[in-house]
Amino acid sequence: MDERSALGLLAGRIDAAGDDAAVIDGLVITTDMLHERTDFPEGTTRYTAGWRTVGASLSDVAAMGGAATAAVAAYGAPAFDPTEIEAFVDGASDVCELVDAAYVGGDLDSHDEFTVAGAVVGRTDDPVFRHGAEPGDAVYVTGTLGRTGAAIREFERGNADRGNELFRFEPRVAAGRRLAGVASAMMDSSDGLARSLHQLAAASDCGFDVEWDRLPVDRAVDAVADGEAERRELSTFFGEDFELVFTGPRAVVEANRESLDTPITRIGRVTKGGVLADGDPLPDRGYSH
Amino acid sequence: MDERSALGLLAGRIDAAGDDAAVIDGLVITTDMLHERTDFPEGTTRYTAGWRTVGASLSDVAAMGGAATAAVAAYGAPAFDPTEIEAFVDGASDVCELVDAAYVGGDLDSHDEFTVAGAVVGRTDDPVFRHGAEPGDAVYVTGTLGRTGAAIREFERGNADRGNELFRFEPRVAAGRRLAGVASAMMDSSDGLARSLHQLAAASDCGFDVEWDRLPVDRAVDAVADGEAERRELSTFFGEDFELVFTGPRAVVEANRESLDTPITRIGRVTKGGVLADGDPLPDRGYSH
């Protein structure tokens, strides 16, 4: 059974599952597990790992339109090196500070493989879900696409400093909060833009038509991609970029553009069915963790 | 560097760390990582694993005197077997139901070793910390000691059903809530009674004198222990029992005994310094995760 089917199983059994985070009693709560083999290429610093672990959960809260309150992390490693733990805590604390949340501690566990799990609690009175997109809405993304794919290439080439820099992303909590009441549907792009669109389409019972030329591909992708095919692969399918993908009436979103304090790009429109790019089917594939 | 020193490092760097859970803005938040090699002996069912993973974090909330609101869990395994995932979710949901909390979902991760991390958020306006115990207070524990140590022996002997039964504990959330305003200091016994007393002593700058004959050793220990030395080992040093260890003025605690709806046992008293059992030093050793 693959991860998506299993997540579907979880979603079917738990009322609150199936969105980026659970919402209960005005609280938003989410967790993400990351580990060395699949999430932290050679050269990833513990500082970056702390940032990314907690950042992934902060991004989930952002995707619900919530404010982030506090984060914890469980840290499993073969040895408890004080310098590494301090660096991890520094990274986790710094990404929290960026979004007005507090990193408040965690758990340590002796583990053969470096494995970490972040959890974040936030608040919202007005959550945005994956369902709610309407044909006629426009579809947008925050920031740029492909930073993580480009980072992986930089790590592969031994450019660890650049890889770490690209790996540290700004969770879109401030933008997410401002989009509550504006966006009709929202999620983060952690599984890649293509898969995110398919997931929004399934949850909202709609389709999408996006334009390749409109996608805000990060310059870091151009620095590593060998041709247009790889450029699309890294920006659209690779995932783990933690940008927000959201829909809404174009006029309403545009009226709020300035107040978001975060660059957003209109990449296409919501349709009645089918996920297309320039009129051709956009495959439903992306990152599996 | 061992786990305790590393946790001390974390505690020194993070204001909210050093207690069983962090308290911020009236929220209690905590996380625990468990994995096959150290936490789930052969024979442990996924149902029990789900129960125990979330239960460990619920116990942390209980130890702060908080009410538990919601739990999530990250589930890492080599394969996503639907029956196993359902069983895990059932166990996590059932332990939540027992303490009026909701299990609201989680994350799935492909991992070589079965590894899980639970996180729980709760609420408190009146947290109980590890500091606050005063010489002259009495020291109490809830429930019985040694269930987990006995469970390990049962698993070793191939009695998996009995092991699983003993492994599923009731988090003391209801008692913890009622002890807020009553107990002067509190923590859970996850590292074993002996180490818990040393940790309370360090946080409260006090000592303890407990009486061996007063310890509420679980009958399951007598069923597996070969003599008094092993009986003490399993009940006092083994840990992972998730009972509450707390202090308070004896008259005040006794006046509230009935309302706790949970058996408690007075095991000794708070002194000015030194952790003793029947007048002899009680070693500061216990479970390391």
Side-chain angles (χ1 to χ4, degrees):
Chain A
M1 188 179 215
D2 67 11
E3 183 191 352
R4 295 188 68 203
S5 312
L7 279 169
L9 183 76
L10 277 175
R13 294 177 54 80
I14 302 172
D15 290 345
D19 252 287
D20 290 56
V23 180
I24 180 169
D25 289 348
L27 298 178
V28 188
I29 177 168
T30 184
T31 185
D32 291 277
M33 182 181 285
L34 292 84
H35 57 114
E36 191 142 25
R37 180 170 55 81
T38 55
D39 300 291
F40 303 124
E42 193 179 335
T44 308
T45 64
R46 285 292 199 261
Y47 178 84
T48 298
W51 181 293
R52 214 162 157 78
T53 301
V54 169
S57 290
L58 290 168
S59 177
D60 288 332
V61 170
M64 304 306 296
T69 305
V72 291
Y75 178 104
F80 298 139
D81 179 296
T83 309
E84 291 184 347
I85 294 173
E86 285 192 71
F88 182 88
V89 169
D90 283 344
S93 300
D94 286 354
V95 73
C96 281
E97 196 179 319
L98 200 63
V99 299
D100 290 329
Y103 179 71
V104 293
D107 185 36
L108 287 173
D109 193 37
S110 173
H111 204 298
D112 289 341
E113 184 183 352
F114 177 54
T115 302
V116 287
V120 168
V121 58
R123 298 182 199 258
T124 175
D125 297 320
D126 189 15
V128 187
F129 300 102
R130 293 184 183 181
H131 59 82
E134 295 280 350
D137 282 352
V139 55
Y140 292 81
V141 295
T142 57
T144 60
L145 299 171
R147 279 172 62 100
T148 288
I152 298 291
R153 291 285 184 276
E154 297 286 6
F155 280 119
E156 286 167 358
R157 293 170 187 184
N159 301 328
D161 284 353
R162 180 64 175 148
N164 278 287
E165 185 189 336
L166 290 169
F167 245 25
R168 294 190 298 267
F169 60 93
E170 180 182 342
R172 300 301 189 185
V173 176
R177 289 186 70 179
R178 292 200 176 94
L179 285 165
V182 172
S184 53
M186 186 156 63
M187 66 181 294
D188 79 6
S189 68
S190 58
D191 292 336
L193 176 66
R195 179 152 284 172
S196 300
L197 291 172
H198 278 275
Q199 290 174 345
L200 282 173
S204 290
D205 191 20
C206 68
F208 289 98
D209 197 354
V210 300
E211 298 170 46
W212 283 115
D213 285 350
R214 287 195 161 272
L215 301 192
V217 179
D218 199 281
R219 286 182 186 175
V221 172
D222 294 315
V224 298
D226 188 13
E228 184 61 18
E230 190 180 8
R231 191 169 178 269
R232 288 188 180 181
E233 190 64 32
L234 295 178
S235 61
T236 311
F237 299 102
F238 195 90
E240 296 284 289
D241 277 334
F242 303 104
E243 296 292 349
L244 299 178
V245 187
F246 65 95
T247 60
R250 184 173 166 184
V252 175
V253 175
E254 295 300 338
N256 286 277
R257 179 184 281 272
E258 291 305 313
S259 74
L260 294 179
D261 278 343
T262 301
I264 61 171
T265 304
R266 183 170 56 84
I267 60 170
R269 62 195 179 87
V270 181
T271 63
K272 288 186 180 169
V275 178
L276 309 173
D278 288 351
D280 294 323
L282 185 68
D284 180 13
R285 62 181 175 82
Y287 190 81
S288 278
H289 303 247
Chain B
M1 188 177 212
D2 67 11
E3 184 193 351
R4 297 186 68 204
S5 311
L7 279 170
L9 184 75
L10 277 174
R13 294 178 54 81
I14 303 170
D15 290 345
D19 253 286
D20 290 56
V23 179
I24 180 168
D25 289 348
L27 299 178
V28 188
I29 179 167
T30 183
T31 184
D32 291 277
M33 181 182 285
L34 292 83
H35 57 114
E36 191 142 24
R37 182 170 55 81
T38 55
D39 299 291
F40 303 126
E42 193 180 333
T44 309
T45 65
R46 286 291 199 261
Y47 178 84
T48 298
W51 181 294
R52 217 164 154 76
T53 300
V54 169
S57 289
L58 290 168
S59 177
D60 287 333
V61 170
M64 304 305 296
T69 304
V72 291
Y75 178 104
F80 297 140
D81 179 298
T83 309
E84 291 184 347
I85 294 173
E86 285 193 70
F88 182 88
V89 169
D90 283 343
S93 300
D94 285 353
V95 72
C96 281
E97 196 179 320
L98 199 63
V99 299
D100 290 328
Y103 179 71
V104 294
D107 185 36
L108 287 172
D109 193 37
S110 174
H111 203 298
D112 290 339
E113 183 184 352
F114 177 55
T115 302
V116 286
V120 168
V121 59
R123 298 183 199 258
T124 175
D125 296 319
D126 189 15
V128 187
F129 300 102
R130 293 184 183 181
H131 60 82
E134 295 281 349
D137 282 353
V139 55
Y140 291 81
V141 294
T142 58
T144 60
L145 300 171
R147 279 173 62 101
T148 288
I152 298 290
R153 291 283 183 277
E154 296 287 6
F155 280 118
E156 285 167 358
R157 294 172 186 183
N159 303 326
D161 285 353
R162 180 64 175 149
N164 278 287
E165 185 190 335
L166 290 169
F167 246 26
R168 294 190 298 267
F169 60 93
E170 180 183 342
R172 301 302 188 183
V173 175
R177 289 187 71 179
R178 294 201 175 95
L179 284 166
V182 172
S184 52
M186 185 154 65
M187 67 181 293
D188 79 5
S189 68
S190 60
D191 292 337
L193 177 66
R195 179 152 284 172
S196 300
L197 291 172
H198 277 275
Q199 291 175 344
L200 283 174
S204 291
D205 192 20
C206 68
F208 289 99
D209 197 354
V210 300
E211 297 170 47
W212 282 115
D213 284 351
R214 286 193 162 274
L215 301 192
V217 179
D218 198 282
R219 285 182 187 174
V221 172
D222 294 314
V224 298
D226 188 14
E228 185 60 20
E230 190 179 9
R231 192 168 177 269
R232 287 187 180 181
E233 192 63 32
L234 295 177
S235 61
T236 311
F237 298 102
F238 196 88
E240 296 286 286
D241 278 333
F242 302 104
E243 296 293 348
L244 299 178
V245 186
F246 65 95
T247 61
R250 184 172 167 185
V252 175
V253 176
E254 295 301 336
N256 285 276
R257 178 183 282 271
E258 290 305 314
S259 74
L260 294 178
D261 278 342
T262 301
I264 61 170
T265 304
R266 183 170 56 84
I267 60 170
R269 62 196 178 86
V270 181
T271 63
K272 288 187 179 169
V275 178
L276 308 175
D278 288 352
D280 294 322
L282 185 67
D284 180 13
R285 63 182 175 80
Y287 190 80
S288 278
H289 304 245

